[in-house]
């Protein structure tokens, strides 16, 4: 289950701000795994709009094919994926990275994912699964909190302290398992360790039984543009084994993707 969507940022209207467009995005964001189909009143409430305003936007989206209705319920259509795939198709990195990730999965027999940082969350941009290892259904576009994920900590470690703290403050840590770090100082220490060691290993902080390890994918300037991880079950691939046997392979895959990016 994805975390509750963050409210849209409060931006004062100005010459460069189109309020009606922002409201349309708020309506789209109101749909989620927890609310895949909604009444007009529910959309208005979740988007922070009047019923009349929400109705105009829903009807516009329906005319354009992004929303469909059945009785009193509205839901998104598959056409909404065009908006997300426009991002993926505009970045050739992801097209080049997928074969590298598939080869890594074939070698280590564990799931592999790539994600970018968006606010306090990571957003999955590629995923090559093997076994069903999580109760969470993850796919392209899925969001998870950065503070308790290996890819999130790798990407947070690349930020300056002030920017890192600002992002973490947007989603206060919650204990998702008995292992989750929630103390701000403990999380900061973990991220500092990632900066020193060059990788992150998260042991059952996101979900009981799940262990994950991630490294950064860097551009020519050395900036972390994404993170690459492998994840598995702690009883099958314990942290020590993952670190000793799989880390070099993960680093090599990230290096190959970085090379393709530079090319």
């Amino acid at each position: 289950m994805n975390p509750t969507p963050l409210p849209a940022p409060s931006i004062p209207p100005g010459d460069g701000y189109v309020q009606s467009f922002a409201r349309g995005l708020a309506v789209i964001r109101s749909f989620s795994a927890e609310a895949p189909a909604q009444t007009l009143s529910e959309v208005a409430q979740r988007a922070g709009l009047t019923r009349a305003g929400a109705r105009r936007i829903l009807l516009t989206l329906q005319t354009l094919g992004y929303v469909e209705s059945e009785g009193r319920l509205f839901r998104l259509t598959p056409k909404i994926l065009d908006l997300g795939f426009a991002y993926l198709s505009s970045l050739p990195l992801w097209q080049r990275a997928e074969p590298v990730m598939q080869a890594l999965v074939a070698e280590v027999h564990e799931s592999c994912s790539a994600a970018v940082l968006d606010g306090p969350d990571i957003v999955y941009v590629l995923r090559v699964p093997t076994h069903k290892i999580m109760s969470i259904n993850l796919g392209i576009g899925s969001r998870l909190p950065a503070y308790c994920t290996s890819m999130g900590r790798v990407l947070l470690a690349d930020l300056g302290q002030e920017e890192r703290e600002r992002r973490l403050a947007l989603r206060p840590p919650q204990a998702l398992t008995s292992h989750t770090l929630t103390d701000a100082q403990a999380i900061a220490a973990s991220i500092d360790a990632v900066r020193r060691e060059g990788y992150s290993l998260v042991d059952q902080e996101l979900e009981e039984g799940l262990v994950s390890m991630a490294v950064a994918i860097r551009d020519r300037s050395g900036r972390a543009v994404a993170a690459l991880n492998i994840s598995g079950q702690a009883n099958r691939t314990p942290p020590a084994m993952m670190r000793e046997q799989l880390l070099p392979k993960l680093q090599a895959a990230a290096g190959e993707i970085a090379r393709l990016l530079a090319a």
Side-chain angles (χ1 to χ4, degrees), residues 168-203:
L168 287 171
L170 293 173
R171 190 182 292 284
Q174 297 179 348
L176 303 181
T177 75
S178 60
H179 305 274
T180 310
L181 296 182
T182 57
D183 177 75
Q185 290 185 338
I187 293 172
S190 175
I191 294 172
D192 288 340
V194 172
R195 185 190 291 267
R196 292 191 305 271
E197 297 168 2
Y199 72 96
S200 172
L201 198 154
V202 171
D203 184 9

Side-chain angles (χ1 to χ4, degrees), residues 95 117 144 187 210:
Q95 300 171 25
L117 193 62
L144 291 174
I187 293 172
L210 179 73

Side-chain angles (χ1 to χ4, degrees), residues 117 151-161 163-164 167 191-192 194-196 216-219 221-226:
L117 193 62
M151 290 192 286
R153 288 184 184 166
V154 160
L155 295 170
L156 289 170
D158 200 59
L159 303 177
Q161 182 176 350
E163 175 62 14
R164 181 200 310 169
R167 290 181 185 244
I191 294 172
D192 288 340
V194 172
R195 185 190 291 267
R196 292 191 305 271
I217 299 172
R218 299 189 180 276
D219 62 15
S221 68
R223 181 176 64 94
V225 294

Side-chain angles (χ1 to χ4, degrees), residues 49 52 55 94 135 152 237:
L49 301 173
R55 179 177 181 276
W94 309 125
S135 63
T237 315

Side-chain angles (χ1 to χ4, degrees), residues 2 7 31 56 65 67 74 95 169-170 198 227 235-236 247-249:
N2 287 344
F31 293 91
R56 287 194 298 271
V67 165
F74 293 88
Q95 300 171 25
L170 293 173
N235 59 359
R236 187 181 72 241
L247 178 58
K249 302 178 190 300

Side-chain angles (χ1 to χ4, degrees), residues 200-248:
S200 172
L201 198 154
V202 171
D203 184 9
Q204 304 184 73
E205 292 191 47
L206 177 67
E207 184 172 304
E208 295 286 352
L210 179 73
V211 59
S212 176
M213 183 169 59
V215 297
I217 299 172
R218 299 189 180 276
D219 62 15
R220 289 182 179 180
S221 68
R223 181 176 64 94
V225 294
L228 186 73
N229 90 334
I230 48 179
S231 53
Q233 289 288 348
N235 59 359
R236 187 181 72 241
T237 315
M241 174 184 172
M242 184 170 280
R243 184 184 293 108
E244 294 168 8
Q245 299 183 19
L246 304 187
L247 178 58

Side-chain angles (χ1 to χ4, degrees), residues 52-65 67 69 74:
R55 179 177 181 276
R56 287 194 298 271
I57 292 170
L58 284 169
L59 292 180
T60 300
L61 291 171
Q62 186 172 12
T63 300
L64 295 173
V67 165
S69 63
F74 293 88

